Amino acid sequence: MWDQLERPGSANRVWQASRRRFVSNVLGPHFEQVCRDWALHHAEHDLFGGLPARVGHGTVHDPATRTGHEIDVAVIGIADHGKAPLLAIGEAKWNDTMGAAHIDRLRHIRELITRAGRYDTSQTKLICFSGAGFNDKARQAATSSSELHLVDLPALYGHN
């Protein structure tokens, strides 16, 4: 692309060709990290039902389909005894309006984690982070369920 940029007037064309990669390879991962930092340092104390010991990300294996499901935000609590509580799992989308499919995906992943038996998932919350917002189905689901929370940009940056 550098050769293209050296040509006068080609910057817009290069940006159009590169925008999708920039969003997925730079903005997306950065937004995910912002969401993890928020969960660890800035979320309301009662949101997760416990104090986060650590927040990370990872992949959950689905033995039935032989696939992996990425988790953008995993909030792990303090283990007093027994299994550590998985306080929340979350999906972070910078440029996508989130809806029911994202919530269903998180529920499925939580079920896989429960079956694996490594964490106590009895109180695991589902968190959707979005830079683009949420559709009506997602908002309705969050209104009718105490296990689901939607976090938008004003909430992330303390303007709610």
Side-chain angles (χ1 to χ4, degrees), residues 1 4 25 27 31 35 38 41 46 48 56 64 74-75 81 89-90 102 114 118 125-126 136 138 141 143:
M1 292 285 190
Q4 289 291 325
N25 294 340
L27 291 181
F31 183 64
C35 295
W38 179 86
H41 300 294
D46 59 345
F48 302 124
V75 182
H81 50 293
I89 58 173
H102 296 95
T114 300
R118 182 173 174 191
K125 308 280 188 200
L126 306 176
D136 291 338
T143 301

Side-chain angles (χ1 to χ4, degrees), residues 1 4-5 7-19:
M1 292 285 190
Q4 289 291 325
L5 283 172
R7 296 178 59 196
S10 65
N12 190 42
R13 193 172 70 224
V14 171
W15 173 243
Q16 293 307 317
S18 304
R19 175 182 276 166

Side-chain angles (χ1 to χ4, degrees), residues 30 39-40 51 62-63 72 84 88 94 100 109 116 119 124 137 147 154 156 160:
H30 178 72
L40 184 60
L51 182 65
D62 187 341
D72 300 327
W94 168 250
I109 292 170
Y119 295 100
T124 302
K137 288 185 180 182
E147 74 171 6
L156 275 174
N160 272 358

Side-chain angles (χ1 to χ4, degrees), residues 93-124:
K93 295 293 182 192
W94 168 250
N95 207 27
D96 293 341
T97 301
M98 296 182 81
H102 296 95
I103 298 164
D104 292 343
R105 180 178 175 281
L106 285 173
R107 285 188 176 122
H108 177 68
I109 292 170
R110 181 176 58 192
E111 180 58 34
L112 292 171
I113 295 168
T114 300
R115 284 189 222 147
R118 182 173 174 191
Y119 295 100
D120 175 1
T121 59
S122 60
Q123 303 295 316
T124 302

